Amino acid sequence: MIAPGFADVESQIWIWMMAMIRPGAAMVVTPVFGAANVPVQIRIILAFMIGLVATNTVSFDLPSDTAISLSNTIFVLGEVLVGVAIGFALQLGFSSVLIAGETISNAMGLGFASMADPQTGQSTPVIGQFLMILATLLLLAIDGHLMLLATIVQSYSALPPGYAFLGPELLMDMVEFGGTLFAMGLLIALPVGGALILIQFIMGFLARTAPALNLFAVGIPVTITAGLVALAVTAPIIADTIVRSLGMGLSQAALVGGGG
């Protein structure tokens, strides 16, 4: 016989498990938490802890049907959709850095030099890998990971479990925000890209004035050197633009967590 004090333990555990679906789905797609080198056990523990906090901020009832039923399926799908939308909003702002890195690498002639990205497990250009590391450090420096966790917890009040459905206007906002991803990536790459375009104009002028000059032997070292110097000089400007992009991602995640 179960002791009276433990009579509702099973139902409470089910509530915790259902509450951890939303943060668990967000951590799969969000930067830092969703990195390939982060153990799954860490994500499960964090999702469970967030679920504990969420159950103290809002109360909700589980579907009364069996585990495999239409109401339970809709409940789980709604939680997964909201969690993925919150994490994906921040991921969009974070991915603009990767676009900037690929743009700068191709302009410098380093598009062939790739490294394994621990965030995604895919190969990325070396400049893109450098900017991804910089963006990760900036995200942690501005407490972006804590803002994301706070957004997930606050979303339980605006979108209670069982009623977590995103409207068409909010989905359209997500699509439009995804369009700004490319604009922010080009804006991050603009300082270095502008300097490299000027170098290309100079090299083209030299090619016309000195046809005997071997541009492959001179142009590539000059372009790489100028790109590295420009990257070092414009690092503060690039960092400010990355923070702006991350802030846009966090704002969009908060908009999704607040139900639009």
Side-chain angles (χ1 to χ4, degrees):
M1 179 181 295
I2 301 178
F6 296 92
D8 297 331
V9 171
E10 183 178 358
S11 61
Q12 186 63 45
I13 291 177
W14 275 108
I15 292 177
W16 290 341
M17 291 182 63
M18 299 301 279
M20 66 185 290
I21 294 177
R22 185 181 301 184
M27 290 182 184
V28 171
V29 298
T30 195
V32 180
F33 297 109
N37 56 355
V38 176
V40 178
Q41 295 84 348
I42 299 298
R43 301 179 196 172
I44 294 176
I45 293 173
L46 288 175
F48 181 72
M49 294 174 63
I50 296 174
L52 287 177
V53 176
T55 54
N56 292 327
T57 58
V58 63
S59 60
F60 61 93
D61 297 326
L62 298 178
S64 57
D65 298 335
T66 58
I68 303 176
S69 62
L70 179 60
S71 58
N72 275 283
T73 301
I74 295 176
F75 185 97
V76 173
L77 289 178
E79 291 296 291
V80 172
L81 179 61
V82 173
V84 170
I86 293 175
F88 188 66
L90 179 57
Q91 183 66 51
L92 285 176
F94 194 83
S95 297
S96 61
V97 178
L98 182 59
I99 294 179
E102 292 182 353
T103 302
I104 296 175
S105 296
N106 293 331
M108 290 176 59
L110 293 177
F112 61 90
S114 300
M115 297 179 61
D117 184 8
Q119 292 281 345
T120 60
Q122 304 296 325
S123 296
T124 57
V126 290
I127 302 300
Q129 184 62 33
F130 167 73
L131 293 180
M132 291 286 283
I133 295 174
L134 178 61
T136 302
L137 296 177
L138 290 174
L139 179 64
L140 298 175
I142 64 175
D143 292 334
H145 58 300
L146 300 180
M147 297 179 188
L148 177 65
L149 297 181
T151 298
I152 296 174
V153 174
Q154 294 170 2
S155 67
Y156 283 87
S157 299
L159 299 171
Y163 303 93
F165 300 101
L166 302 180
E169 295 182 357
L170 187 57
L171 294 177
M172 183 57 65
D173 288 340
M174 286 288 294
V175 174
E176 294 177 354
F177 178 70
T180 63
L181 162 69
F182 301 97
M184 290 303 301
L186 295 177
L187 186 61
I188 295 173
L190 182 60
V192 180
L196 292 177
I197 291 176
L198 180 61
I199 295 297
Q200 296 296 333
F201 274 116
I202 295 176
M203 298 306 299
F205 177 76
L206 291 177
R208 298 294 295 178
T209 56
L213 183 65
N214 188 355
L215 290 180
F216 290 99
V218 178
I220 294 179
V222 171
T223 302
I224 295 176
T225 303
L228 294 176
V229 172
L231 189 63
V233 172
T234 60
I237 302 175
I238 293 176
D240 291 340
T241 312
I242 292 176
V243 171
R244 178 183 174 186
S245 179
L246 295 175
M248 292 174 61
L250 291 170
S251 299
Q252 185 66 28
L255 181 63
V256 174

